[in-house]
Structure formats: C-alpha cells, structure tokens
Amino acid sequence: MGVLRGIEHRLESLVEGAFGRAFRSHVQPVELARKLVKEMDDHKTVSVSRVYVPNEYVLYLAPQDRESLPPERELLTELADYLAEHARREGYALVSTPRVLLEEDEDLSVGEFGIATRMVHAKEAAADAPATPATPAVEPDAELGQTKIFKPAPDTAAVSAAEAAELGLAHAPPAVLVVRGKRHELGDGPIVIGRSRECTITIDDPNISRRHAEIRRQDGGYWIADLGSTNGLEINGRREQRARLSHGDRIVIGRTDLAFELPG
C-alpha cells in the first residue's frame, strides 16, 4: 500500500469515533485532506528551477464541525503528513514541512469550511519544523491568502462513490435492502429512507417520517441511523438510534419491514 493510500485509510478510520454525531452533513477528515491538496495545487509559485507551494494551511470550521471531528492533534498531524507526501510525489518544493492549523468561524454553517494558505518565511517556519535544504528562489509571503469556502452539495456524501473508489476507501461488498419485495442496491453514497419523494427510497407508510432513516457505507460496512423520526426504528426487535448492519438484519420503520442482505 502506498504512503498516500495509507494516510487516506487512517483519515477514514478517524471518522468512526464521531460518526454517531456527524453521520450526515458534518465535515469529514478525508474531505478536508482532498481540499487541502487542491489548495496546494492551486497555489503553486513557479521559480526558475522549482515549483513552490504553501507550507501553512489554516482550516476554518463551524463550531459544531470542530466538536464532531476526531482528536484535533491526531487529525492535524495526519493532514500535514498527507500534504507532505503529496508534495513529495508531485516534486513540489517547500520552505518547511507543511503545517495545518484549525480555527473556528461562527459564520460558517455545518458542513461548510474554509481554507487559507500562505508560504511562511523560512525563519518563521524554522521555529515549528525543519526547513528543506534548498534555499527558496522566491520571496515567501507571510500573509494569509484569501480564504476559500467549500460548501457541501445537498443530500450528497462527503466523498462520492467515484472518489471513494479512487481513494481506495470502499472495501465492503455491495449490499441490498429489500422493501416490500423490491430489492434496492446500496452504493457508497447515503441512502435516505422516508415518505418524501425526495428520499432515495420512498415508502408509502403514514407511520414513517418524511426523512426517517439513513444508511451509509462507512469503515468497511453499512450503518443505519435514525434522522430524528417520530416513531424511530427497530433492528431485530431492538430500538436503535444508530447501528452497524449485518447480513439478515430485519429493520422496522413505521409499520414496514425491511431486510438487509450482503451477497455470498
């Protein structure tokens, strides 16, 4: 497994601790990593013989998103490692090892985040991390650049199915949810179940809320969570707010039975 792929897996595994609270719309670590790399690529400075990229990145998060994320020190270390490895693979020059900082911004909504970059002066950077042997051929800019705001698309996963496949994050086999005899294949994106026609799976049952529950592929398996429904959900006769699904599980929402199946 490559270094980048290994970091991606570690970032993905960090989500589980906060999954019960985050589940749907909160910012995810892999999403932050992907956007940080994009900002590195978008802020290249080309000199005579090298391509320099920013070495300091400031993440701005809504307070609720910051609370939902894994332990901050571990997360920021993984993100910095991800940036360093990407720079190495692309042949970028850095005046010091990358550093990622985290700030709260109450103007941001849940799921939104901002990124500002800068190239810190070599003397400033040396106080935090060893500089690279090469002397930069460009004058570093110690001022933060303009903050770019990223907003989540409505009702979509933080990482799409195609992106998950590209990052090597999808490992569990495809599953099926059987609803009134109809089989629904479950992919990598979130599956919203409810009465509303806007749901992924719509069920005509007056005892089901408009957006009743959601199934999401996570950490090599499938999880289901109640979305604040009126009547809740049961799995194998037990009331649950959130649970990992296993082959053969019987799910009841409202007065409708659902069956979860894994192939093989």
Side-chain angles (χ1 to χ4, degrees):
M1 179 185 297
V3 177
L4 273 180
R5 184 64 55 83
I7 298 173
E8 287 158 3
H9 280 291
R10 292 200 299 272
L11 286 167
E12 181 71 5
S13 69
L14 290 176
V15 181
E16 178 55 26
F19 190 70
R21 287 170 292 163
F23 200 56
R24 179 171 177 273
S25 59
H26 285 267
V27 172
Q28 303 298 314
V30 169
E31 183 182 15
L32 294 175
R34 190 172 70 251
K35 296 304 184 184
L36 283 167
V37 161
K38 185 177 186 304
E39 288 300 288
M40 174 180 278
D41 291 338
D42 288 348
H43 289 83
K44 299 189 292 284
T45 301
V46 181
S47 70
V48 175
S49 60
R50 288 186 172 88
V51 177
Y52 289 93
V53 289
N55 60 337
E56 187 167 286
Y57 299 76
V58 181
L59 288 170
Y60 296 94
L61 300 176
Q64 303 96 316
D65 277 324
R66 187 173 189 175
E67 291 176 0
S68 75
L69 285 172
E72 201 164 291
R73 184 173 181 179
E74 182 181 1
L75 172 63
L76 297 182
T77 298
E78 294 287 0
L79 292 173
D81 288 346
Y82 191 86
L83 286 168
E85 179 60 19
H86 179 74
R88 186 192 68 78
R89 292 183 60 174
E90 295 296 322
Y92 295 150
L94 291 157
V95 297
S96 73
T97 54
R99 186 166 70 139
V100 181
L101 307 175
L102 192 57
E103 300 286 347
E104 285 186 13
D105 188 336
E106 294 184 354
D107 292 333
L108 293 173
S109 301
V110 173
E112 296 181 351
F113 62 95
I115 299 177
T117 67
R118 68 177 173 180
M119 194 180 296
V120 180
H121 286 284
K123 289 183 179 180
E124 296 177 47
D128 300 297
T132 56
T135 301
V138 294
E139 182 67 18
D141 180 7
E143 296 298 323
L144 279 172
Q146 183 177 1
T147 303
K148 186 171 182 179
I149 304 297
F150 298 90
K151 297 185 178 183
D155 294 333
T156 59
V159 182
S160 70
E163 290 167 332
E166 180 182 348
L167 293 174
L169 302 177
H171 299 290
V176 170
L177 190 68
V178 183
V179 183
R180 294 176 176 172
K182 184 175 181 179
R183 301 173 66 82
H184 300 267
E185 291 189 359
L186 307 180
D188 295 293
I191 305 296
V192 180
I193 307 166
R195 255 185 20 256
S196 172
R197 294 187 179 277
E198 297 178 357
C199 292
T200 316
I201 299 176
T202 302
I203 302 176
D204 184 14
D205 180 340
N207 296 287
I208 292 177
S209 298
R210 290 181 57 80
R211 293 173 57 87
H212 197 107
E214 179 175 300
I215 296 176
R216 182 182 286 250
R217 195 171 190 171
Q218 177 68 53
D219 193 28
Y222 288 89
W223 297 73
I224 188 168
D226 187 280
L227 295 179
S229 68
T230 301
N231 295 317
L233 65 89
E234 291 184 3
I235 302 174
N236 302 324
R238 182 174 177 177
R239 192 88 164 189
E240 299 280 4
Q241 283 294 117
R242 168 185 170 270
R244 183 165 183 156
L245 295 172
S246 301
H247 177 69
D249 279 349
R250 178 175 173 266
I251 305 163
V252 178
I253 61 173
R255 294 186 177 178
T256 302
D257 290 348
L258 299 78
F260 178 80
E261 297 179 359
L262 285 171

